[in-house]
Amino acid sequence: MTQLSLWLACIACFTSGITYYFCPKARPTQLIGALAIALHAYALSLTLLDRNGFTFLTIGLLIAVIGNALLWFSSRDKDLSLLMAISFPLTAIIIALNAIQPWNLHELHSNSWGTSIHILIACVAYSLFTAACGVGILLSIQEYQLKNHKLKQLLRVPPLQVLERLMFEFIWAAFIFLTAAIATGFYFIEDIFAQHMVHKTFFTIASWFVFAGLLIGRRYAGWRGQLAVKLTLSGFFLLMLGYFGSQIALQIIMH
């Protein structure tokens, strides 16, 4: 049943990506997107029950479903169809990897409810930062095309002011969850500075300082545009390097 639900969710996400690209304004497109998210969430719940915990791939599955849900709700009054035409097919790949399980991965935590809460909060933060980066990339491309007078090549996205406001809304929410994730990590994880965790802790805290600096600069110096996007991508890179980079090295390359 788990395998079937994963493949159904994979097909639904891929189909949704196609419809968002070719039929962005059609009402069925939003319905197909909602169905894909629902099937994804159902497949995730069965996967967690079947595998009795989180792994590197199921973490990606959780981040993806939260990210797509955020974009889906945000797109109800903004045209984010181009971004969703990319995110849903990428999600389909993550779901397919969970179905195939090409690597023998270990669980990433014990059966501690506190650690599970920490992982869930961190996943919400990662999802929000991922959405912020996606919006930021669209903002950067759109701004570049406007400055270079390539009006005929403008992307199918909302105005710059709307994109920038949405990006910072995602960043503020993500920063709050990242702060909570760091706090719960220090509280619930006893060996947070152990050898196999110290790099993750370092990069996560470094990312926190980057985003804190960005939000302070936005508030008091009016940072925006390309500078804001570059700092967002830099902080996101540090965050992903700390978690996914180390997991790829420890569980896949060195396995």
Side-chain angles (χ1 to χ4, degrees), residues 83-235:
L83 188 57
M84 298 171 79
I86 298 172
S87 68
F88 274 95
L90 289 177
T91 298
I93 295 173
I94 296 173
I95 296 173
L97 287 174
N98 274 271
I100 299 170
Q101 298 186 62
W103 308 290
N104 183 23
L105 303 178
H106 302 291
E107 289 187 15
L108 303 180
H109 73 292
S110 63
N111 292 322
S112 165
W113 65 269
T115 311
S116 298
I117 290 175
H118 162 72
I119 292 175
L120 180 60
I121 294 173
C123 285
V124 176
Y126 293 155
S127 302
L128 285 162
F129 278 129
T130 302
C133 285
V135 173
I137 291 171
L138 292 183
L139 171 65
S140 181
I141 295 173
Q142 190 82 319
E143 186 175 352
Y144 172 82
Q145 290 179 332
L146 285 172
K147 286 184 177 179
N148 288 273
H149 307 290
K150 298 181 179 180
L151 301 180
K152 293 183 179 179
Q153 302 176 24
L154 289 178
L155 297 175
R156 190 179 65 213
V157 294
L160 289 177
Q161 294 85 350
V162 176
L163 283 176
E164 188 172 76
R165 184 170 63 251
L166 179 62
M167 182 182 74
F168 275 99
E169 287 174 357
F170 281 143
I171 292 173
W172 264 113
F175 183 75
I176 293 171
F177 277 99
L178 179 61
T179 303
I182 293 173
T184 54
F186 275 103
Y187 186 80
F188 291 114
I189 302 176
E190 297 179 357
D191 57 345
I192 195 168
F193 287 108
Q195 185 174 2
H196 67 288
M197 292 286 293
V198 66
H199 50 278
K200 176 184 176 182
T201 305
F202 171 79
F203 282 115
T204 300
I205 294 175
S207 174
W208 186 92
F209 277 105
V210 170
F211 284 113
L214 170 60
L215 292 173
I216 292 172
R218 168 75 170 182
R219 175 67 177 82
Y220 294 102
W223 290 356
R224 56 186 305 175
Q226 296 291 343
L227 176 60
V229 173
K230 289 177 181 177
L231 287 173
T232 300
L233 294 177
S234 298

Side-chain angles (χ1 to χ4, degrees), residues 6-144:
L6 284 169
W7 285 117
L8 287 175
C10 178
I11 294 170
C13 285
F14 187 74
T15 303
S16 182
I18 293 175
T19 56
Y20 272 114
Y21 185 80
F22 289 104
C23 308
K25 296 182 180 180
R27 181 174 176 80
T29 299
Q30 282 289 79
L31 296 177
I32 294 172
L35 176 62
I37 293 170
L39 287 173
H40 185 168
Y42 178 67
L44 172 63
S45 63
L46 292 181
T47 301
L48 291 176
L49 291 173
D50 184 50
R51 299 176 189 175
N52 194 31
F54 294 99
T55 66
F56 169 62
L57 286 177
T58 53
I59 290 288
L61 203 62
L62 178 57
I63 292 173
V65 71
I66 296 173
N68 282 338
L70 288 169
L71 291 177
W72 188 87
F73 279 107
S74 298
S75 69
R76 298 179 69 182
D77 58 350
K78 306 175 188 70
D79 186 4
L80 300 177
S81 57
L82 187 60
L83 188 57
M84 298 171 79
I86 298 172
S87 68
F88 274 95
L90 289 177
T91 298
I93 295 173
I94 296 173
I95 296 173
L97 287 174
N98 274 271
I100 299 170
Q101 298 186 62
W103 308 290
N104 183 23
L105 303 178
H106 302 291
E107 289 187 15
L108 303 180
H109 73 292
S110 63
N111 292 322
S112 165
W113 65 269
T115 311
S116 298
I117 290 175
H118 162 72
I119 292 175
L120 180 60
I121 294 173
C123 285
V124 176
Y126 293 155
S127 302
L128 285 162
F129 278 129
T130 302
C133 285
V135 173
I137 291 171
L138 292 183
L139 171 65
S140 181
I141 295 173
Q142 190 82 319
E143 186 175 352
Y144 172 82

